[in-house]
Structures are given as C-alpha cells and as structure tokens.
C-alpha cells in the first residue's frame, strides 16, 4: 500500500517556526527540502554547491520566516521558492569576480551574460519567470500564448543555461 499524502497546516507551521520549534524546522526541511534542492539544481548543476546553497536557503528561511506574512506570497512554499531562486541566482551564478552585497566587484555577472545570449522573446520569458518569479500560466496570459509554449521555452532556456554554466 502507498504512503498517504501528508497535509501541513501552513499557519500552524509558521507559528511553530516563529517560536523556534526544532520539530517544525525538521518537518519543514523534510517536506520542502527536496523540491527546493531540485529548483537549485536547475540553476546550479553542481551537487556540492547546490547542497551549500540549500543550507543557506534554510538558514534564511528559519531566520526570516516572520517576514512571510508581509511578503505578499499566497503560500509558504511560494515564498520559499522565490527566496530559493534569489539565493541560487545570487550565489550560484557569478564569474570569478567577488560578489559583495549582491554586486559583482570584477567581471560581469554570468546570469546577465547568459540572458544576453538569448533571443529577445526568450529573454522576456526568462526574466518574468526567474527574476519576477511569475508562474508560467501568468506569463502565458501576459504574452497571449498557451502555457505549454512557455513551459517548452523555459525547458529549452534551462538546458541552455546549464550548458552555459558548464563552459
């Protein structure tokens, strides 16, 4: 017999996290860690670096969970995904230049260099999805196309991005 799905009451979980409950931290990590790690691997194809970034993500989540309610995100998972994406892009996508306070001191940010290699239409899709954190359905509505087209474009973009990072 298969394992039953577990429902997490986000409001209760948030209150427990704010109260610094170690059990809530463990539950959050076990429940959401694999999905967030998968998101990081889309940006940073190196497992060791992705693991380090995941640690950074959870440290930030635990220390900033009280800001979730003011974030405007509809769900805790949505907020965590946006935070994960920001951290992965910030920590995983820079050249040998040193980053201080989010600013590259030397060299051009590799994410910007990659974006510049894309055709204009794909640049827009990539920007809306990765920098603005919009879902594919919202991007499709904005661009007047089907969501499947946006999903296909994003798949191509992410393959190109992983190849770009390997070079």
């Amino acid at each position: 017999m298969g394992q039953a799905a577990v429902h997490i009451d986000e409001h209760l979980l948030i209150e427990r996290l704010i109260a610094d409950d170690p059990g809530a931290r463990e539950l959050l990590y076990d429940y959401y860690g694999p999905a967030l790690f998968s998101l990081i691997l889309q940006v940073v194809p190196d497992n060791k670096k992705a693991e380090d970034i995941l640690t950074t993500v959870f440290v930030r989540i635990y220390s900033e969970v009280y800001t979730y309610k003011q974030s405007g995100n509809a769900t805790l998972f949505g907020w965590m995904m946006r935070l994960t994406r920001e951290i992965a892009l910030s920590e995983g996508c820079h050249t040998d230049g040193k980053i201080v306070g989010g600013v590259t001191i030397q060299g051009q940010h590799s994410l910007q260099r990659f974006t510049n290699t894309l055709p204009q239409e794909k640049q827009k899709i990539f920007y809306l999805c990765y920098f603005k954190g919009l879902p594919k359905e919202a991007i499709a509505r904005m661009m007047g196309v089907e969501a499947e087209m946006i999903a296909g474009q994003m798949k191509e973009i992410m393959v190109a991005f992983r190849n770009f990072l390997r070079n």
Side-chain angles (χ1 to χ4, degrees):
M1 181 175 238
Q3 187 176 14
V6 175
H7 172 72
I8 294 180
D9 181 334
E10 284 191 352
H11 299 290
L12 179 60
L13 182 58
I14 292 165
E15 294 306 317
R16 288 179 55 196
L17 289 166
I18 290 172
D20 208 22
D21 177 349
R25 287 180 174 202
E26 185 177 334
L27 178 65
L28 187 80
Y29 184 87
D30 289 347
Y31 194 76
Y32 293 111
L36 298 180
F37 186 68
S38 184
L39 176 62
I40 295 166
L41 284 174
Q42 290 178 6
V43 177
V44 181
D46 178 286
N47 274 359
K48 175 65 177 132
K49 188 164 190 153
E51 289 170 3
D52 292 343
I53 291 171
L54 184 65
T55 301
T56 300
V57 165
F58 274 97
V59 167
R60 288 267 309 271
I61 288 169
Y62 298 149
S63 66
E64 298 177 17
V65 71
Y66 63 91
T67 66
Y68 158 68
K69 291 179 182 176
Q70 293 82 31
S71 71
N73 286 281
T75 65
L76 177 63
F77 183 59
W79 175 74
M80 291 189 310
M81 284 188 60
R82 179 169 288 182
L83 184 63
T84 300
R85 184 182 308 108
E86 289 171 7
I87 293 170
L89 291 172
S90 172
E91 293 194 14
C93 303
H94 60 275
T95 59
D96 58 351
K98 186 175 182 181
I99 294 186
V100 177
V103 177
T104 305
I105 301 303
Q106 55 177 280
Q108 184 184 19
H109 195 280
S110 65
L111 186 61
Q112 185 60 48
R113 285 195 348 253
F114 167 73
T115 303
N116 292 340
T117 69
L118 295 172
Q120 193 68 29
E121 192 76 5
K122 287 185 178 182
Q123 283 184 19
K124 183 176 182 179
I125 293 168
F126 187 65
Y127 174 79
L128 291 171
C129 186
Y130 270 84
F131 290 99
K132 291 295 185 179
L134 296 176
K136 293 170 186 75
E137 295 77 16
I139 297 169
R141 283 192 303 275
M142 290 172 66
M143 298 180 76
V145 298
E146 296 293 320
E148 292 80 24
M149 190 280 265
I150 298 298
Q153 291 290 314
M154 276 307 300
K155 184 176 181 180
E156 290 175 17
I157 291 167
M158 292 314 298
V159 167
F161 189 43
R162 283 190 291 273
N163 289 334
F164 178 84
L165 290 174
R166 287 186 189 123
N167 295 327

